Amino acid sequence: MWKTIQKKRLVDDDHVTVEKNEVQLPDGAVIKDFYTVTIPDAAMVAAITSEGKILLKTEFRYACGNEVIECPAGMFEKDETDPLIVAKRELLEETGYATENWTYLGETLESTSKLTNRMHLFLAKDCVKISSQRLDANEHLTVTEAYLETAVAMVMNGTINANSTAHLILKVDRILRDKTGGQDEP
């Protein structure tokens, strides 16, 4: 078991906390500068329309310097604790779509060596457009639709390479194939 010897908070604001930790490993070795980054938990949605298409957003991500294709998602706001509320809000804000057909698929971890947050995954079926986008001032994204099999191919060829999005698309594809008679492979 790892043992924390000392913690020093370097950054602490609403969107990120960075700590420099001194830790001792089970074998007695000490790491004097083990950094952890905490950002709010988030919720991500595989939004499937009644036509069987998945909604995808394309957004420039400054940290990686690229346009990235992702499923709609967003962070918990202060005092939010219910991932479904976050998922519904983000789907509507980013795409203008909504539904009452929600399934919680669990959570994923993004970068397990440094990040501490969790991404809560949802399948939302029978999504319909009910409004225009309501983007935050710092959001600049476009929304497209693709058949799920196309999205899976995009994951497999690296066009979609954001971890949680890839995880969610593959998971939803498996779930929907299994319910419609697809073969279950190991």
Side-chain angles (χ1 to χ4, degrees):
M1 186 81 158
W2 288 40
K3 178 183 173 188
T4 303
I5 298 168
Q6 182 178 351
K7 284 186 178 193
K8 181 178 181 185
R9 191 159 284 181
L10 304 176
V11 176
D12 190 7
D13 72 21
D14 290 342
H15 297 288
V16 67
T17 300
V18 179
E19 289 184 345
K20 179 180 178 182
N21 303 284
E22 183 176 346
V23 297
Q24 183 177 25
L25 288 90
D27 66 1
V30 173
I31 301 173
K32 292 187 177 287
D33 60 350
F34 191 91
Y35 294 89
T36 59
V37 179
T38 301
I39 58 177
D41 284 355
M44 178 174 278
V45 183
I48 309 294
T49 67
S50 57
E51 295 82 28
K53 294 183 177 181
I54 187 169
L55 302 177
L56 300 169
K57 66 176 185 172
T58 302
E59 187 171 8
F60 180 78
R61 294 301 194 182
Y62 178 81
C64 64
N66 289 312
E67 294 259 329
V68 179
I69 301 170
E70 300 170 315
C71 290
M75 295 188 307
F76 284 47
E77 293 179 358
K78 189 176 181 175
D79 298 326
E80 281 185 320
T81 59
D82 185 346
L84 180 58
I85 290 172
V86 177
K88 286 181 175 184
R89 182 190 71 241
E90 290 297 331
L91 178 62
L92 185 60
E93 287 177 1
E94 292 187 345
T95 69
Y97 281 73
T99 186
E100 293 302 317
N101 190 347
W102 291 88
T103 304
Y104 182 63
L105 302 179
E107 57 187 45
T108 75
L109 303 171
E110 287 295 296
S111 177
T112 57
S113 65
K114 299 293 179 204
L115 289 176
T116 66
N117 70 303
R118 290 166 169 22
M119 178 70 77
H120 297 271
L121 304 178
F122 288 89
L123 170 59
K125 295 193 294 188
D126 304 317
C127 294
V128 294
K129 187 152 181 88
I130 63 166
S131 72
S132 59
Q133 292 173 302
R134 298 181 203 148
L135 300 175
D136 295 335
N138 63 346
E139 286 182 306
H140 304 280
L141 58 94
T142 58
V143 176
T144 57
E145 297 179 1
Y147 286 106
L148 188 55
E149 65 189 34
T150 302
V152 169
M154 293 168 73
V155 169
M156 298 309 292
N157 72 24
T159 303
I160 293 176
N161 58 5
N163 288 340
S164 289
T165 294
H167 180 123
L168 181 56
I169 288 170
L170 296 177
K171 189 170 195 166
V172 165
D173 178 62
R174 181 46 125 356
I175 289 167
L176 295 179
R177 271 191 305 117
D178 288 351
K179 288 187 177 179
T180 60
Q183 290 186 1
D184 192 356
E185 299 173 14

